[in-house]
Amino acid sequence: MATTKPGERKLQILQTLAAMLEQPKGEKITTAALAARVDVSEAALYRHFASKAQMFEGLIEFIETTVFGLINKITEQQENGLSQVQAIVTMLLNFAERNPGMTRVMIGDALVNEDERLQQRMNQFIERIELAVKQSLRVAATQGQANESEVAARANLIVGVVLGHWQRYAKTGFKQLPSAHVQAQIAMLLG
């Protein structure tokens, strides 16, 4: 009988939850269904997570850590503000494309019947993304590539477009890829 190392089962539960969220129909995920997919009892799930909300928090932590780690790397490596924005938008769309289940969490679909604080946390996630885009646009403004007075409005528009792509991706059963035409659209947003 194979034993799992500490943390492995927890990771397996989160990976299974994310995979279940990739189902285009998006049915409500129960702990019973999740336990069956992981091949453990519901009691075993609750030994790793105090609640289903805590399982979703685990996914949200993965999303936040990954996305903001990549944004930090982009802003450190790119001096050009507009290049930062372009790289951030491309990364956000590619992240969604590679992680369809996480996309349902990011747009809030997977959180509809869950604890309200989870949706609030995702709202803060979006606000932090918009703040990062604003900062890059401010860099572009100091470089003479953007108008300082338009930074807030342009950042809001860019994040709205990203959210729209995520939404469309999820609502089309993950068929309408978020990265389709991304370079041309970014050029229009930054033009």
Side-chain angles (χ1 to χ4, degrees):
M1 184 168 135
T3 58
T4 56
K5 293 179 188 168
E8 278 184 9
R9 180 68 77 192
K10 194 171 185 173
L11 180 60
Q12 181 187 20
I13 292 166
L14 292 177
Q15 289 171 334
T16 304
L17 176 58
M20 290 174 78
L21 289 169
E22 291 179 16
Q23 301 310 309
K25 297 260 188 265
E27 284 108 34
K28 185 172 172 11
I29 294 173
T30 64
T31 53
L34 178 59
R37 288 280 285 277
V38 179
D39 198 26
V40 297
S41 68
E42 280 187 81
L45 285 182
Y46 289 113
R47 279 196 288 276
H48 297 283
F49 296 96
S51 64
K52 193 162 98 174
Q54 204 177 67
M55 294 176 206
F56 277 106
E57 284 175 338
L59 293 180
I60 292 169
E61 284 171 21
F62 169 80
I63 292 166
E64 290 172 338
T65 301
T66 304
V67 167
F68 293 114
L70 291 169
I71 287 174
N72 289 339
K73 188 181 277 185
I74 288 166
T75 57
E76 288 169 10
Q77 293 175 350
Q78 298 272 353
E79 287 183 31
N80 182 293
L82 292 183
S83 295
Q84 289 177 11
V85 174
Q86 184 172 0
I88 290 169
V89 170
T90 302
M91 177 275 295
L92 291 169
L93 298 178
N94 286 331
F95 178 82
E97 203 168 298
R98 289 186 190 111
N99 301 282
M102 302 295 182
T103 302
R104 291 196 52 227
V105 174
M106 292 186 302
I107 64 170
D109 266 15
L111 306 175
V112 169
N113 296 310
E114 305 303 331
D115 191 308
E116 187 179 318
R117 72 177 157 42
L118 297 171
Q119 184 58 59
Q120 291 169 347
R121 188 163 169 187
M122 289 317 303
N123 292 345
Q124 290 172 337
F125 169 77
I126 301 301
E127 288 170 12
R128 287 177 61 199
I129 288 173
E130 188 168 336
L131 183 62
V133 172
K134 274 184 200 174
Q135 288 172 332
S136 292
L137 287 171
R138 284 193 184 105
V139 169
T142 64
Q143 296 168 338
Q145 299 174 322
N147 187 336
E148 179 67 40
S149 65
E150 296 175 353
V151 164
R154 192 173 298 268
N156 185 264
L157 175 64
I158 289 167
V159 171
V161 169
V162 168
L163 287 170
H165 280 280
W166 289 349
Q167 185 85 15
R168 190 171 183 195
Y169 183 48
K171 297 297 182 187
T172 61
F174 309 116
K175 289 176 179 56
Q176 183 71 41
L177 299 179
S179 64
H181 313 292
V182 67
Q183 297 311 318
Q185 291 174 354
I186 291 172
M188 289 179 212
L189 290 170
L190 297 177

